[in-house]
Protein backbone atom coordinates (compact mmCIF):
# COMPACT_ATOMS: atom_id res chain seq x y z
CA UNK A 1 0.00 0.00 0.00
CA UNK A 2 2.96 2.28 0.67
CA UNK A 3 4.14 1.79 -2.93
CA UNK A 4 0.61 2.43 -4.17
CA UNK A 5 0.40 5.71 -2.26
CA UNK A 6 3.95 6.71 -3.26
CA UNK A 7 3.14 6.23 -6.94
CA UNK A 8 0.05 8.43 -6.58
CA UNK A 9 1.94 11.16 -4.70
CA UNK A 10 1.41 13.81 -7.36
CA UNK A 11 -2.30 13.01 -7.71
CA UNK A 12 -2.78 13.27 -3.96
CA UNK A 13 -0.94 16.61 -3.96
CA UNK A 14 -3.18 17.90 -6.76
CA UNK A 15 -6.21 16.92 -4.71
CA UNK A 16 -4.74 18.86 -1.79
CA UNK A 17 -4.06 21.85 -4.02
CA UNK A 18 -7.67 22.04 -5.20
CA UNK A 19 -9.07 21.97 -1.69
CA UNK A 20 -8.97 18.51 -0.12
CA UNK A 21 -7.93 18.62 3.52
CA UNK A 22 -5.30 16.41 5.10
CA UNK A 23 -8.01 14.62 7.05
CA UNK A 24 -9.99 13.87 3.87
CA UNK A 25 -6.90 12.48 2.13
CA UNK A 26 -5.95 10.29 5.09
CA UNK A 27 -9.52 9.07 5.57
CA UNK A 28 -9.97 8.19 1.89
CA UNK A 29 -6.68 6.28 1.77
CA UNK A 30 -7.46 4.36 4.96
CA UNK A 31 -10.93 3.51 3.64
CA UNK A 32 -9.36 2.29 0.40
CA UNK A 33 -6.96 0.10 2.37
CA UNK A 34 -9.77 -1.34 4.46
CA UNK A 35 -11.77 -2.17 1.30
CA UNK A 36 -8.71 -3.93 -0.12
CA UNK A 37 -8.39 -5.79 3.17
CA UNK A 38 -12.05 -6.76 3.16
CA UNK A 39 -11.85 -8.16 -0.36
CA UNK A 40 -8.54 -9.91 0.39
CA UNK A 41 -9.92 -11.39 3.59
CA UNK A 42 -13.01 -12.71 1.81
CA UNK A 43 -10.88 -14.27 -0.93
CA UNK A 44 -8.49 -15.72 1.65
CA UNK A 45 -11.29 -17.27 3.70
CA UNK A 46 -12.92 -18.74 0.58
CA UNK A 47 -9.61 -20.17 -0.64
CA UNK A 48 -8.83 -21.51 2.84
CA UNK A 49 -12.14 -23.35 3.08
CA UNK A 50 -11.78 -24.67 -0.46
CA UNK A 51 -8.26 -25.92 0.19
CA UNK A 52 -9.42 -27.54 3.46
CA UNK A 53 -12.04 -29.51 1.51
CA UNK A 54 -9.39 -30.57 -1.02
CA UNK A 55 -6.89 -31.51 1.71
CA UNK A 56 -9.52 -33.54 3.59
CA UNK A 57 -10.47 -35.38 0.42
CA UNK A 58 -6.84 -36.14 -0.43
CA UNK A 59 -6.01 -37.31 3.10
CA UNK A 60 -9.10 -39.54 3.24
CA UNK A 61 -8.26 -41.08 -0.14
CA UNK A 62 -4.56 -41.49 0.64
CA UNK A 63 -4.98 -43.15 4.02
CA UNK A 64 -8.26 -44.84 3.08
CA UNK A 65 -10.04 -43.60 6.18
CA UNK A 66 -13.35 -41.92 6.80
CA UNK A 67 -12.71 -38.37 8.03
CA UNK A 68 -15.43 -36.20 9.53
CA UNK A 69 -17.12 -33.88 7.08
CA UNK A 70 -15.83 -30.33 7.37
CA UNK A 71 -19.32 -28.88 7.56
CA UNK A 72 -19.88 -30.89 10.75
CA UNK A 73 -16.71 -29.74 12.53
CA UNK A 74 -16.39 -26.15 11.29
CA UNK A 75 -17.11 -23.43 13.82
CA UNK A 76 -17.54 -19.70 13.17
CA UNK A 77 -14.60 -18.66 15.37
CA UNK A 78 -11.79 -19.06 12.78
CA UNK A 79 -13.82 -16.98 10.34
CA UNK A 80 -14.41 -14.27 12.92
CA UNK A 81 -10.74 -14.25 13.94
CA UNK A 82 -9.61 -14.26 10.31
CA UNK A 83 -11.88 -11.37 9.43
CA UNK A 84 -10.80 -9.33 12.45
CA UNK A 85 -7.13 -10.05 11.78
CA UNK A 86 -7.41 -9.31 8.05
CA UNK A 87 -9.18 -6.00 8.61
CA UNK A 88 -6.83 -4.92 11.39
CA UNK A 89 -3.78 -5.69 9.23
CA UNK A 90 -5.36 -3.77 6.36
CA UNK A 91 -5.97 -0.83 8.67
CA UNK A 92 -2.41 -0.87 9.99
CA UNK A 93 -0.98 -1.34 6.51
CA UNK A 94 -2.88 1.64 5.17
CA UNK A 95 -2.82 3.99 8.17
CA UNK A 96 0.91 4.71 8.15
CA UNK A 97 1.20 5.46 4.39
CA UNK A 98 -2.00 7.52 4.57
CA UNK A 99 -0.69 9.51 7.53
CA UNK A 100 2.63 10.07 5.73
CA UNK A 101 0.90 11.23 2.54
CA UNK A 102 -1.30 13.59 4.53
CA UNK A 103 1.79 15.35 5.88
CA UNK A 104 3.18 16.20 2.43
CA UNK A 105 2.40 19.74 1.31
CA UNK A 106 0.81 20.17 -2.13
CA UNK A 107 3.86 22.00 -3.50
CA UNK A 108 6.29 19.43 -2.15
CA UNK A 109 4.17 16.56 -3.51
CA UNK A 110 4.01 17.98 -7.04
CA UNK A 111 7.76 18.38 -7.18
CA UNK A 112 9.36 15.77 -9.42
CA UNK A 113 12.31 15.37 -7.07
CA UNK A 114 11.43 13.54 -3.87
CA UNK A 115 13.15 14.39 -0.62
CA UNK A 116 15.96 11.98 0.21
CA UNK A 117 14.47 10.82 3.50
CA UNK A 118 10.83 9.88 2.97
CA UNK A 119 10.54 7.49 5.91
CA UNK A 120 11.75 8.32 9.38
CA UNK A 121 10.72 5.02 10.94
CA UNK A 122 14.16 3.39 10.77
CA UNK A 123 14.92 3.52 14.50
CA UNK A 124 11.37 2.48 15.39
CA UNK A 125 11.48 -0.46 12.97
CA UNK A 126 14.94 -1.57 14.05
CA UNK A 127 14.32 -1.30 17.79
CA UNK A 128 10.74 -2.53 17.72
CA UNK A 129 11.57 -5.39 15.37
CA UNK A 130 14.50 -6.49 17.52
CA UNK A 131 12.45 -6.41 20.72
CA UNK A 132 9.44 -8.20 19.23
CA UNK A 133 11.64 -10.85 17.61
CA UNK A 134 13.71 -11.50 20.74
CA UNK A 135 10.69 -11.72 23.04
CA UNK A 136 8.87 -14.04 20.63
CA UNK A 137 11.87 -16.31 20.12
CA UNK A 138 12.52 -16.45 23.86
CA UNK A 139 8.94 -17.47 24.62
CA UNK A 140 8.84 -20.00 21.78
CA UNK A 141 12.05 -21.63 23.03
CA UNK A 142 10.81 -21.70 26.63
CA UNK A 143 7.77 -23.55 25.31
CA UNK A 144 9.94 -25.97 23.33
CA UNK A 145 12.09 -26.75 26.38
CA UNK A 146 9.02 -27.31 28.58
CA UNK A 147 9.10 -24.24 30.81
CA UNK A 148 5.76 -23.05 29.38
CA UNK A 149 2.86 -24.96 27.87
CA UNK A 150 3.56 -25.67 24.21
CA UNK A 151 0.21 -24.14 23.24
CA UNK A 152 1.53 -20.72 24.30
CA UNK A 153 4.05 -20.84 21.43
CA UNK A 154 1.34 -20.58 18.79
CA UNK A 155 0.44 -17.09 20.00
CA UNK A 156 4.00 -15.86 19.47
CA UNK A 157 4.53 -17.15 15.92
CA UNK A 158 2.77 -14.15 14.37
CA UNK A 159 4.60 -11.53 16.50
CA UNK A 160 7.83 -13.30 15.52
CA UNK A 161 7.01 -12.86 11.83
CA UNK A 162 6.02 -9.22 12.38
CA UNK A 163 9.36 -8.59 14.12
CA UNK A 164 11.28 -10.23 11.28
CA UNK A 165 9.44 -8.11 8.69
CA UNK A 166 10.19 -4.95 10.71
CA UNK A 167 13.88 -5.87 10.86
CA UNK A 168 13.98 -6.84 7.20
CA UNK A 169 12.57 -3.49 6.09
CA UNK A 170 15.57 -1.78 7.70
CA UNK A 171 18.23 -4.35 6.81
CA UNK A 172 17.12 -5.01 3.22
CA UNK A 173 18.68 -1.80 1.81
CA UNK A 174 22.18 -2.48 3.16
CA UNK A 175 21.85 -6.15 2.17
CA UNK A 176 21.00 -5.22 -1.41
CA UNK A 177 23.85 -2.74 -1.54
CA UNK A 178 26.25 -5.40 -0.24
CA UNK A 179 25.11 -7.94 -2.81
Amino acid sequence: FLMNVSERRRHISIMRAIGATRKQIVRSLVEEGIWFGLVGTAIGIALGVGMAFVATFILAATFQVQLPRLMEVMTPFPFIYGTLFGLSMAFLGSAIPAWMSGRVSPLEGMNRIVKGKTRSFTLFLLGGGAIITLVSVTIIFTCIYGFLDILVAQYFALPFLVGIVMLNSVILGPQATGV
Side-chain angles (χ1 to χ4, degrees):
F1 199 78
L2 181 61
M3 274 185 8
N4 182 358
V5 171
S6 297
E7 289 173 357
R8 298 186 317 185
R9 185 171 167 265
R10 290 181 54 114
H11 298 104
I12 293 169
S13 296
I14 291 170
M15 288 172 36
R16 285 284 318 280
I18 61 173
T21 64
R22 292 174 192 253
K23 186 177 178 179
Q24 289 172 330
I25 297 292
V26 171
R27 190 181 74 223
S28 68
L29 290 173
V30 169
E31 286 175 0
E32 179 183 344
I34 289 174
W35 277 109
F36 280 136
L38 190 62
V39 170
T41 299
I43 291 170
I45 288 174
L47 284 174
V49 169
M51 295 306 287
F53 277 108
V54 170
T56 303
F57 176 76
I58 291 172
L59 285 172
T62 301
F63 294 113
Q64 297 177 354
V65 294
Q66 183 67 30
L67 295 175
R69 295 181 45 171
L70 282 181
M71 297 306 287
E72 297 169 359
V73 295
M74 267 197 281
T75 64
F77 297 114
F79 301 104
I80 293 169
Y81 296 148
T83 302
L84 290 175
F85 180 75
L87 291 178
S88 61
M89 287 295 107
F91 173 76
L92 290 175
S94 64
I96 293 173
W99 177 74
M100 289 171 55
S101 68
R103 293 184 61 194
V104 176
S105 70
L107 185 59
E108 179 185 353
M110 285 188 257
N111 191 358
R112 293 203 182 274
I113 300 172
V114 181
K115 285 190 326 186
K117 182 91 170 165
T118 58
R119 290 196 291 175
S120 60
F121 295 112
T122 304
L123 188 60
F124 169 75
L125 290 173
L126 187 61
I131 291 170
I132 291 171
T133 303
L134 289 174
V135 168
S136 300
V137 165
T138 302
I139 291 175
I140 289 170
F141 273 106
T142 57
C143 293
I144 289 172
Y145 287 113
F147 295 111
L148 290 173
D149 186 17
I150 195 66
L151 295 177
V152 174
Q154 69 184 350
Y155 297 107
F156 288 90
L158 183 63
F160 172 71
L161 292 174
V162 169
I164 292 295
V165 168
M166 289 172 73
L167 285 174
N168 195 32
S169 64
V170 175
I171 297 172
L172 191 59
Q175 285 175 342
T177 303
V179 170

PDB file of all heavy atoms in Angstrom, residues 14-35:
ATOM      1  N   ILE A  14      -2.246  17.099  -5.962  1.00  0.00           N
ATOM      2  CA  ILE A  14      -3.176  17.902  -6.759  1.00  0.00           C
ATOM      3  C   ILE A  14      -4.521  17.990  -6.048  1.00  0.00           C
ATOM      4  O   ILE A  14      -5.138  19.065  -6.002  1.00  0.00           O
ATOM      5  CB  ILE A  14      -3.318  17.323  -8.184  1.00  0.00           C
ATOM      6  CG1 ILE A  14      -1.998  17.523  -8.955  1.00  0.00           C
ATOM      7  CG2 ILE A  14      -4.492  17.958  -8.925  1.00  0.00           C
ATOM      8  CD1 ILE A  14      -1.936  16.793 -10.275  1.00  0.00           C
ATOM      9  N   MET A  15      -4.965  16.885  -5.471  1.00  0.00           N
ATOM     10  CA  MET A  15      -6.213  16.922  -4.708  1.00  0.00           C
ATOM     11  C   MET A  15      -6.101  17.904  -3.544  1.00  0.00           C
ATOM     12  O   MET A  15      -7.045  18.654  -3.259  1.00  0.00           O
ATOM     13  CB  MET A  15      -6.570  15.520  -4.193  1.00  0.00           C
ATOM     14  CG  MET A  15      -7.038  14.591  -5.287  1.00  0.00           C
ATOM     15  SD  MET A  15      -7.262  12.858  -4.834  1.00  0.00           S
ATOM     16  CE  MET A  15      -7.873  12.887  -3.205  1.00  0.00           C
ATOM     17  N   ARG A  16      -4.952  17.907  -2.880  1.00  0.00           N
ATOM     18  CA  ARG A  16      -4.741  18.856  -1.785  1.00  0.00           C
ATOM     19  C   ARG A  16      -4.755  20.286  -2.308  1.00  0.00           C
ATOM     20  O   ARG A  16      -5.291  21.185  -1.672  1.00  0.00           O
ATOM     21  CB  ARG A  16      -3.398  18.598  -1.089  1.00  0.00           C
ATOM     22  CG  ARG A  16      -3.309  17.407  -0.184  1.00  0.00           C
ATOM     23  CD  ARG A  16      -3.991  17.607   1.141  1.00  0.00           C
ATOM     24  NE  ARG A  16      -3.784  18.900   1.770  1.00  0.00           N
ATOM     25  CZ  ARG A  16      -2.708  19.257   2.466  1.00  0.00           C
ATOM     26  NH1 ARG A  16      -1.741  18.400   2.654  1.00  0.00           N
ATOM     27  NH2 ARG A  16      -2.627  20.461   3.002  1.00  0.00           N
ATOM     28  N   ALA A  17      -4.150  20.504  -3.473  1.00  0.00           N
ATOM     29  CA  ALA A  17      -4.061  21.855  -4.021  1.00  0.00           C
ATOM     30  C   ALA A  17      -5.433  22.412  -4.419  1.00  0.00           C
ATOM     31  O   ALA A  17      -5.647  23.612  -4.363  1.00  0.00           O
ATOM     32  CB  ALA A  17      -3.121  21.875  -5.232  1.00  0.00           C
ATOM     33  N   ILE A  18      -6.343  21.538  -4.801  1.00  0.00           N
ATOM     34  CA  ILE A  18      -7.667  22.043  -5.202  1.00  0.00           C
ATOM     35  C   ILE A  18      -8.665  22.032  -4.052  1.00  0.00           C
ATOM     36  O   ILE A  18      -9.857  22.250  -4.267  1.00  0.00           O
ATOM     37  CB  ILE A  18      -8.221  21.277  -6.419  1.00  0.00           C
ATOM     38  CG1 ILE A  18      -8.391  19.799  -6.117  1.00  0.00           C
ATOM     39  CG2 ILE A  18      -7.357  21.492  -7.628  1.00  0.00           C
ATOM     40  CD1 ILE A  18      -9.080  19.012  -7.221  1.00  0.00           C
ATOM     41  N   GLY A  19      -8.193  21.762  -2.837  1.00  0.00           N
ATOM     42  CA  GLY A  19      -9.065  21.968  -1.689  1.00  0.00           C
ATOM     43  C   GLY A  19      -9.293  20.802  -0.757  1.00  0.00           C
ATOM     44  O   GLY A  19      -9.969  20.971   0.255  1.00  0.00           O
ATOM     45  N   ALA A  20      -8.786  19.634  -1.042  1.00  0.00           N
ATOM     46  CA  ALA A  20      -8.970  18.509  -0.122  1.00  0.00           C
ATOM     47  C   ALA A  20      -8.113  18.734   1.126  1.00  0.00           C
ATOM     48  O   ALA A  20      -6.968  19.163   1.032  1.00  0.00           O
ATOM     49  CB  ALA A  20      -8.572  17.200  -0.794  1.00  0.00           C
ATOM     50  N   THR A  21      -8.682  18.444   2.269  1.00  0.00           N
ATOM     51  CA  THR A  21      -7.935  18.617   3.522  1.00  0.00           C
ATOM     52  C   THR A  21      -7.082  17.390   3.789  1.00  0.00           C
ATOM     53  O   THR A  21      -7.293  16.323   3.202  1.00  0.00           O
ATOM     54  CB  THR A  21      -8.892  18.839   4.706  1.00  0.00           C
ATOM     55  OG1 THR A  21      -9.681  17.661   4.891  1.00  0.00           O
ATOM     56  CG2 THR A  21      -9.792  20.045   4.463  1.00  0.00           C
ATOM     57  N   ARG A  22      -6.137  17.545   4.705  1.00  0.00           N
ATOM     58  CA  ARG A  22      -5.295  16.406   5.098  1.00  0.00           C
ATOM     59  C   ARG A  22      -6.147  15.263   5.639  1.00  0.00           C
ATOM     60  O   ARG A  22      -5.920  14.096   5.330  1.00  0.00           O
ATOM     61  CB  ARG A  22      -4.289  16.835   6.156  1.00  0.00           C
ATOM     62  CG  ARG A  22      -3.235  17.766   5.679  1.00  0.00           C
ATOM     63  CD  ARG A  22      -2.371  18.235   6.856  1.00  0.00           C
ATOM     64  NE  ARG A  22      -1.542  19.348   6.444  1.00  0.00           N
ATOM     65  CZ  ARG A  22      -0.236  19.257   6.235  1.00  0.00           C
ATOM     66  NH1 ARG A  22       0.373  18.124   6.412  1.00  0.00           N
ATOM     67  NH2 ARG A  22       0.441  20.307   5.845  1.00  0.00           N
ATOM     68  N   LYS A  23      -7.137  15.624   6.442  1.00  0.00           N
ATOM     69  CA  LYS A  23      -8.012  14.622   7.046  1.00  0.00           C
ATOM     70  C   LYS A  23      -8.783  13.853   5.976  1.00  0.00           C
ATOM     71  O   LYS A  23      -8.930  12.626   6.074  1.00  0.00           O
ATOM     72  CB  LYS A  23      -8.977  15.314   8.010  1.00  0.00           C
ATOM     73  CG  LYS A  23      -9.836  14.383   8.798  1.00  0.00           C
ATOM     74  CD  LYS A  23     -10.702  15.162   9.781  1.00  0.00           C
ATOM     75  CE  LYS A  23     -11.600  14.230  10.553  1.00  0.00           C
ATOM     76  NZ  LYS A  23     -12.436  14.929  11.511  1.00  0.00           N
ATOM     77  N   GLN A  24      -9.260  14.536   4.942  1.00  0.00           N
ATOM     78  CA  GLN A  24      -9.991  13.868   3.866  1.00  0.00           C
ATOM     79  C   GLN A  24      -9.083  12.907   3.096  1.00  0.00           C
ATOM     80  O   GLN A  24      -9.502  11.799   2.748  1.00  0.00           O
ATOM     81  CB  GLN A  24     -10.594  14.899   2.909  1.00  0.00           C
ATOM     82  CG  GLN A  24     -11.746  15.669   3.484  1.00  0.00           C
ATOM     83  CD  GLN A  24     -12.184  16.805   2.579  1.00  0.00           C
ATOM     84  OE1 GLN A  24     -11.379  17.375   1.847  1.00  0.00           O
ATOM     85  NE2 GLN A  24     -13.470  17.134   2.627  1.00  0.00           N
ATOM     86  N   ILE A  25      -7.859  13.342   2.845  1.00  0.00           N
ATOM     87  CA  ILE A  25      -6.898  12.480   2.130  1.00  0.00           C
ATOM     88  C   ILE A  25      -6.610  11.231   2.957  1.00  0.00           C
ATOM     89  O   ILE A  25      -6.684  10.098   2.450  1.00  0.00           O
ATOM     90  CB  ILE A  25      -5.592  13.242   1.830  1.00  0.00           C
ATOM     91  CG1 ILE A  25      -5.848  14.425   0.898  1.00  0.00           C
ATOM     92  CG2 ILE A  25      -4.520  12.318   1.278  1.00  0.00           C
ATOM     93  CD1 ILE A  25      -6.252  14.047  -0.503  1.00  0.00           C
ATOM     94  N   VAL A  26      -6.287  11.424   4.224  1.00  0.00           N
ATOM     95  CA  VAL A  26      -5.952  10.285   5.092  1.00  0.00           C
ATOM     96  C   VAL A  26      -7.143   9.351   5.196  1.00  0.00           C
ATOM     97  O   VAL A  26      -7.002   8.126   5.073  1.00  0.00           O
ATOM     98  CB  VAL A  26      -5.486  10.784   6.477  1.00  0.00           C
ATOM     99  CG1 VAL A  26      -5.355   9.632   7.451  1.00  0.00           C
ATOM    100  CG2 VAL A  26      -4.168  11.531   6.363  1.00  0.00           C
ATOM    101  N   ARG A  27      -8.340   9.915   5.426  1.00  0.00           N
ATOM    102  CA  ARG A  27      -9.523   9.072   5.569  1.00  0.00           C
ATOM    103  C   ARG A  27      -9.802   8.284   4.290  1.00  0.00           C
ATOM    104  O   ARG A  27     -10.113   7.087   4.343  1.00  0.00           O
ATOM    105  CB  ARG A  27     -10.730   9.922   5.938  1.00  0.00           C
ATOM    106  CG  ARG A  27     -11.938   9.060   6.337  1.00  0.00           C
ATOM    107  CD  ARG A  27     -13.158   9.863   6.686  1.00  0.00           C
ATOM    108  NE  ARG A  27     -13.711  10.380   5.436  1.00  0.00           N
ATOM    109  CZ  ARG A  27     -14.160  11.605   5.260  1.00  0.00           C
ATOM    110  NH1 ARG A  27     -14.133  12.455   6.246  1.00  0.00           N
ATOM    111  NH2 ARG A  27     -14.640  11.992   4.094  1.00  0.00           N
ATOM    112  N   SER A  28      -9.685   8.903   3.139  1.00  0.00           N
ATOM    113  CA  SER A  28      -9.968   8.186   1.892  1.00  0.00           C
ATOM    114  C   SER A  28      -8.953   7.076   1.645  1.00  0.00           C
ATOM    115  O   SER A  28      -9.320   5.993   1.175  1.00  0.00           O
ATOM    116  CB  SER A  28     -10.011   9.148   0.713  1.00  0.00           C
ATOM    117  OG  SER A  28      -8.733   9.680   0.442  1.00  0.00           O
ATOM    118  N   LEU A  29      -7.689   7.321   1.965  1.00  0.00           N
ATOM    119  CA  LEU A  29      -6.675   6.283   1.766  1.00  0.00           C
ATOM    120  C   LEU A  29      -6.861   5.123   2.746  1.00  0.00           C
ATOM    121  O   LEU A  29      -6.703   3.958   2.372  1.00  0.00           O
ATOM    122  CB  LEU A  29      -5.280   6.875   1.893  1.00  0.00           C
ATOM    123  CG  LEU A  29      -4.867   7.814   0.756  1.00  0.00           C
ATOM    124  CD1 LEU A  29      -3.539   8.480   1.056  1.00  0.00           C
ATOM    125  CD2 LEU A  29      -4.811   7.062  -0.558  1.00  0.00           C
ATOM    126  N   VAL A  30      -7.212   5.428   3.985  1.00  0.00           N
ATOM    127  CA  VAL A  30      -7.456   4.356   4.962  1.00  0.00           C
ATOM    128  C   VAL A  30      -8.689   3.549   4.555  1.00  0.00           C
ATOM    129  O   VAL A  30      -8.683   2.317   4.640  1.00  0.00           O
ATOM    130  CB  VAL A  30      -7.593   4.934   6.389  1.00  0.00           C
ATOM    131  CG1 VAL A  30      -8.108   3.886   7.355  1.00  0.00           C
ATOM    132  CG2 VAL A  30      -6.263   5.479   6.874  1.00  0.00           C
ATOM    133  N   GLU A  31      -9.738   4.226   4.099  1.00  0.00           N
ATOM    134  CA  GLU A  31     -10.930   3.510   3.636  1.00  0.00           C
ATOM    135  C   GLU A  31     -10.595   2.608   2.454  1.00  0.00           C
ATOM    136  O   GLU A  31     -11.075   1.482   2.362  1.00  0.00           O
ATOM    137  CB  GLU A  31     -12.031   4.495   3.258  1.00  0.00           C
ATOM    138  CG  GLU A  31     -12.700   5.143   4.440  1.00  0.00           C
ATOM    139  CD  GLU A  31     -13.703   6.208   4.043  1.00  0.00           C
ATOM    140  OE1 GLU A  31     -13.883   6.455   2.823  1.00  0.00           O
ATOM    141  OE2 GLU A  31     -14.303   6.811   4.952  1.00  0.00           O
ATOM    142  N   GLU A  32      -9.778   3.105   1.546  1.00  0.00           N
ATOM    143  CA  GLU A  32      -9.365   2.286   0.401  1.00  0.00           C
ATOM    144  C   GLU A  32      -8.612   1.048   0.879  1.00  0.00           C
ATOM    145  O   GLU A  32      -8.852  -0.061   0.398  1.00  0.00           O
ATOM    146  CB  GLU A  32      -8.482   3.118  -0.527  1.00  0.00           C
ATOM    147  CG  GLU A  32      -7.972   2.373  -1.727  1.00  0.00           C
ATOM    148  CD  GLU A  32      -7.051   3.215  -2.580  1.00  0.00           C
ATOM    149  OE1 GLU A  32      -7.029   4.457  -2.429  1.00  0.00           O
ATOM    150  OE2 GLU A  32      -6.331   2.619  -3.407  1.00  0.00           O
ATOM    151  N   GLY A  33      -7.709   1.231   1.835  1.00  0.00           N
ATOM    152  CA  GLY A  33      -6.960   0.100   2.368  1.00  0.00           C
ATOM    153  C   GLY A  33      -7.851  -0.917   3.058  1.00  0.00           C
ATOM    154  O   GLY A  33      -7.658  -2.130   2.932  1.00  0.00           O
ATOM    155  N   ILE A  34      -8.853  -0.428   3.781  1.00  0.00           N
ATOM    156  CA  ILE A  34      -9.770  -1.344   4.461  1.00  0.00           C
ATOM    157  C   ILE A  34     -10.615  -2.112   3.438  1.00  0.00           C
ATOM    158  O   ILE A  34     -10.875  -3.310   3.612  1.00  0.00           O
ATOM    159  CB  ILE A  34     -10.640  -0.575   5.471  1.00  0.00           C
ATOM    160  CG1 ILE A  34      -9.759  -0.143   6.648  1.00  0.00           C
ATOM    161  CG2 ILE A  34     -11.811  -1.417   5.958  1.00  0.00           C
ATOM    162  CD1 ILE A  34     -10.437   0.738   7.656  1.00  0.00           C
ATOM    163  N   TRP A  35     -11.028  -1.453   2.352  1.00  0.00           N
ATOM    164  CA  TRP A  35     -11.766  -2.167   1.305  1.00  0.00           C
ATOM    165  C   TRP A  35     -10.905  -3.252   0.671  1.00  0.00           C
ATOM    166  O   TRP A  35     -11.376  -4.360   0.403  1.00  0.00           O
ATOM    167  CB  TRP A  35     -12.289  -1.200   0.243  1.00  0.00           C
ATOM    168  CG  TRP A  35     -13.583  -0.555   0.648  1.00  0.00           C
ATOM    169  CD1 TRP A  35     -13.779   0.745   1.012  1.00  0.00           C
ATOM    170  CD2 TRP A  35     -14.856  -1.191   0.749  1.00  0.00           C
ATOM    171  NE1 TRP A  35     -15.091   0.945   1.333  1.00  0.00           N
ATOM    172  CE2 TRP A  35     -15.781  -0.228   1.180  1.00  0.00           C
ATOM    173  CE3 TRP A  35     -15.304  -2.488   0.526  1.00  0.00           C
ATOM    174  CZ2 TRP A  35     -17.124  -0.513   1.393  1.00  0.00           C
ATOM    175  CZ3 TRP A  35     -16.658  -2.769   0.727  1.00  0.00           C
ATOM    176  CH2 TRP A  35     -17.539  -1.788   1.154  1.00  0.00           C
TER     177      TRP A  35
END
